[in-house]
Amino acid sequence: MNNNIEGKVVVITGASSGLGEATARLLSAERAVVVLGARRVERLKKLADELTAKGGKALAIATDVTKRDDVKKLVDSAVEKFGRIDVMLNNAGLMPQAPLERLKIDEWDRMIDVNIKGVLYGIAAGLPHMKQQKGGHFINVSSVAGHKVVAGGAVYCATKHAVRALSEGLRMEVKPYNIRTTIISPGAVATELPDSITEPDVADRINKFYKDVAIPADSFARAVAFAISQPEDVDINEILFRPTRQEL
Ligand SMILES: NC(=O)c1ccc[n+]([C@@H]2O[C@H](COP(=O)([O-])OP(=O)(O)OC[C@H]3O[C@@H](n4cnc5c(N)ncnc54)[C@H](OP(=O)(O)O)[C@@H]3O)[C@@H](O)[C@H]2O)c1
């Protein structure tokens, strides 16, 4: 039976590690075509080669999501090579948390550029194709931090709240085009995400928290697969999940 994943062309930003990489592996195993974007292109190529060797179809494209032309090229390449885009997974992100009073203003800029503008550029790149196709699916990655604000994480939380606001607006606007929209908000999942924290005391605290509670990245990949695999008339708009151990 078709799983409604097989044959779909899925573009994934931030596919070089963590949640994006795990999702590429799972969807490829479910016979999706995966188009992988991130800056560390050697890692993407290695992953694409591995998936291709297993009989999958995968394409790796160097992409910096803060550059709108890069994101357009990523999506346009998927359409040129595979004829369409069925899913745009706007996943690239970083989390250099620190109290506001430490004035890590470059990090604020970076989070806004990657976590918010990167998602917007993904929408801008995918939407024209999906409108024309009269179908498609945006999956935008928020966080528990998109539902709660924590002291020391205000900017990261703000970016993840923004992802949810943008996704809800998008959901309503794309109804005429038969496009689905899903927000996925994970709790702590074991990835390289805490590596983006530059303040040693904050890094220590968050690494300890992740060590205690984080769950493997395929938990996220299964949530993505669940949303995609629903019949086309079912639009899973939001998934919030946490490790069972996580209180926050
Ligand atoms: N892990 C968690 O606990 C958790 C919880 C909630 C939400 N999230 C969200 O999940 C998403 C994925 O994070 P992760 O946990 O998988 O962390 P990760 O392992 O650090 O992966 C982050 C990915 O984003 C990419 N990226 C960063 N800046 C980029 C840029 N300018 N252009 C293109 N790609 C860029 C990285 O690739 P390159 O460095 O190669 O470019 C990498 O592939 C993020 O949006 C994060 O906020 C994670």
Side-chain angles (χ1 to χ4, degrees), residues 51-199:
L51 299 177
T52 308
K54 287 183 182 154
K57 283 190 188 162
L59 181 65
I61 311 253
T63 308
D64 182 338
V65 299
T66 68
K67 298 184 175 147
R68 67 173 88 165
D69 290 345
D70 272 21
V71 186
K72 186 171 185 310
K73 187 175 137 233
L74 172 70
V75 171
D76 288 351
S77 303
V79 175
E80 269 158 38
K81 178 130 184 174
F82 301 113
R84 54 186 291 114
I85 171 173
D86 294 294
V87 181
M88 180 74 198
L89 175 56
N90 286 308
N91 164 71
L94 74 166
M95 185 186 69
Q97 296 202 18
L100 289 167
E101 66 177 335
R102 296 194 195 172
L103 302 183
K104 308 289 286 185
I105 299 170
D106 288 343
E107 293 182 353
W108 302 350
D109 282 342
R110 193 93 199 128
M111 281 189 275
I112 290 165
D113 287 346
V114 175
N115 299 3
I116 304 179
K117 290 173 75 179
V119 171
L120 279 169
Y121 293 159
I123 292 168
L127 192 48
H129 295 293
M130 291 187 191
K131 273 175 72 175
Q132 199 180 21
Q133 294 168 182
K134 284 255 178 223
H137 192 167
F138 285 100
I139 303 180
N140 297 332
V141 182
S142 178
S143 171
V144 166
H147 294 257
K148 293 191 167 196
V149 179
V150 294
V155 179
Y156 181 70
C157 292
T159 65
K160 292 301 180 179
H161 276 70
V163 169
R164 290 185 57 232
L166 291 169
S167 303
E168 176 59 5
L170 181 69
R171 182 191 71 76
M172 293 183 281
E173 291 184 24
V174 296
K175 288 291 135 187
Y177 311 115
N178 189 41
I179 296 170
R180 305 193 291 181
T181 64
T182 304
I183 303 160
I184 303 189
S185 296
V189 180
T191 67
E192 296 172 20
L193 194 68
D195 296 354
S196 60
I197 301 167
T198 57
E199 294 290 277

Side-chain angles (χ1 to χ4, degrees), residues 6 20-21 26 30 43 84-85 87 121 129 137 143 163 165 170 208 211 216 224 238 241 246:
E6 183 172 353
E21 179 183 346
L26 183 86
E30 298 280 346
R43 286 173 70 150
R84 54 186 291 114
I85 171 173
V87 181
Y121 293 159
H129 295 293
H137 192 167
S143 171
V163 169
L170 181 69
K208 184 174 181 317
K211 194 162 167 286
V224 174
E238 183 142 23
F241 73 95
Q246 180 177 338

